[in-house]
Short mmCIF file of all heavy atoms in Angstrom, two decimals:
data_model
loop_
_atom_site.label_atom_id
_atom_site.label_comp_id
_atom_site.label_asym_id
_atom_site.label_seq_id
_atom_site.Cartn_x
_atom_site.Cartn_y
_atom_site.Cartn_z
N GLY Y 171 5.69 -24.78 12.25
CA GLY Y 171 6.09 -26.00 11.55
C GLY Y 171 5.11 -26.37 10.47
O GLY Y 171 4.27 -27.26 10.63
N MET Y 172 5.25 -25.72 9.31
CA MET Y 172 4.32 -26.02 8.20
C MET Y 172 4.58 -27.46 7.74
O MET Y 172 5.74 -27.85 7.55
CB MET Y 172 4.63 -25.07 7.01
CG MET Y 172 4.47 -23.63 7.39
SD MET Y 172 3.06 -22.88 6.57
CE MET Y 172 3.40 -23.21 4.88
N GLN Y 173 3.53 -28.19 7.56
CA GLN Y 173 3.68 -29.58 7.13
C GLN Y 173 3.77 -29.62 5.59
O GLN Y 173 3.25 -28.76 4.87
CB GLN Y 173 2.45 -30.40 7.58
CG GLN Y 173 2.45 -30.53 9.09
CD GLN Y 173 1.15 -31.12 9.64
OE1 GLN Y 173 0.19 -31.30 8.88
NE2 GLN Y 173 1.16 -31.43 10.89
N SER Y 174 4.48 -30.64 5.09
CA SER Y 174 4.62 -30.72 3.64
C SER Y 174 3.24 -30.94 3.05
O SER Y 174 2.38 -31.63 3.59
CB SER Y 174 5.58 -31.85 3.25
OG SER Y 174 4.96 -33.07 3.57
N GLY Y 175 3.00 -30.30 1.92
CA GLY Y 175 1.66 -30.34 1.34
C GLY Y 175 0.83 -29.12 1.71
O GLY Y 175 -0.18 -28.85 1.06
N GLY Y 176 1.24 -28.40 2.73
CA GLY Y 176 0.53 -27.16 3.09
C GLY Y 176 0.97 -26.07 2.12
O GLY Y 176 2.09 -25.57 2.22
N ILE Y 177 0.15 -25.70 1.14
CA ILE Y 177 0.57 -24.78 0.13
C ILE Y 177 -0.07 -23.40 0.29
O ILE Y 177 0.38 -22.42 -0.34
CB ILE Y 177 0.20 -25.31 -1.30
CG1 ILE Y 177 -1.30 -25.53 -1.41
CG2 ILE Y 177 1.04 -26.49 -1.68
CD1 ILE Y 177 -1.83 -25.41 -2.81
N GLU Y 178 -1.12 -23.30 1.08
CA GLU Y 178 -1.89 -22.06 1.10
C GLU Y 178 -2.07 -21.62 2.52
O GLU Y 178 -2.41 -22.40 3.40
CB GLU Y 178 -3.28 -22.34 0.48
CG GLU Y 178 -4.14 -21.17 0.30
CD GLU Y 178 -4.00 -20.50 -1.10
OE1 GLU Y 178 -2.95 -20.71 -1.76
OE2 GLU Y 178 -4.95 -19.83 -1.51
N VAL Y 179 -1.74 -20.30 2.77
CA VAL Y 179 -1.87 -19.76 4.11
C VAL Y 179 -3.02 -18.76 4.07
O VAL Y 179 -2.94 -17.79 3.33
CB VAL Y 179 -0.54 -19.10 4.55
CG1 VAL Y 179 -0.65 -18.64 6.03
CG2 VAL Y 179 0.63 -20.05 4.40
N VAL Y 180 -4.05 -19.01 4.85
CA VAL Y 180 -5.25 -18.19 4.83
C VAL Y 180 -5.27 -17.28 6.05
O VAL Y 180 -4.95 -17.75 7.15
CB VAL Y 180 -6.53 -19.05 4.78
CG1 VAL Y 180 -7.78 -18.21 4.54
CG2 VAL Y 180 -6.40 -20.16 3.73
N PHE Y 181 -5.65 -16.01 5.84
CA PHE Y 181 -5.65 -15.03 6.91
C PHE Y 181 -7.13 -14.53 7.05
O PHE Y 181 -7.69 -14.00 6.13
CB PHE Y 181 -4.78 -13.83 6.53
CG PHE Y 181 -3.34 -14.29 6.33
CD1 PHE Y 181 -2.94 -14.76 5.07
CD2 PHE Y 181 -2.41 -14.21 7.35
CE1 PHE Y 181 -1.61 -15.15 4.85
CE2 PHE Y 181 -1.11 -14.62 7.16
CZ PHE Y 181 -0.69 -15.09 5.91
N TYR Y 182 -7.66 -14.73 8.25
CA TYR Y 182 -9.04 -14.31 8.52
C TYR Y 182 -9.07 -13.13 9.45
O TYR Y 182 -8.33 -13.08 10.47
CB TYR Y 182 -9.81 -15.43 9.17
CG TYR Y 182 -10.12 -16.62 8.26
CD1 TYR Y 182 -9.41 -17.82 8.42
CD2 TYR Y 182 -11.12 -16.58 7.29
CE1 TYR Y 182 -9.69 -18.92 7.63
CE2 TYR Y 182 -11.39 -17.67 6.50
CZ TYR Y 182 -10.68 -18.84 6.67
OH TYR Y 182 -10.93 -19.93 5.88
N GLY Y 183 -9.93 -12.16 9.15
CA GLY Y 183 -10.16 -11.02 10.07
C GLY Y 183 -11.32 -11.34 10.99
O GLY Y 183 -12.08 -12.32 10.74
N ALA Y 184 -11.46 -10.57 12.06
CA ALA Y 184 -12.56 -10.77 13.00
C ALA Y 184 -13.85 -10.15 12.51
O ALA Y 184 -14.92 -10.33 13.12
CB ALA Y 184 -12.17 -10.19 14.37
N ASP Y 185 -13.75 -9.40 11.41
CA ASP Y 185 -14.97 -8.77 10.89
C ASP Y 185 -15.71 -9.76 9.98
O ASP Y 185 -15.11 -10.51 9.22
CB ASP Y 185 -14.60 -7.50 10.06
CG ASP Y 185 -13.51 -7.72 9.05
OD1 ASP Y 185 -12.63 -8.61 9.23
OD2 ASP Y 185 -13.54 -7.02 8.00
#
Side-chain angles (χ1 to χ4, degrees):
M172 300 249 305
Q173 294 171 349
S174 67
I177 57 153
E178 187 92 337
V179 185
V180 188
F181 301 84
Y182 291 104
D185 50 330

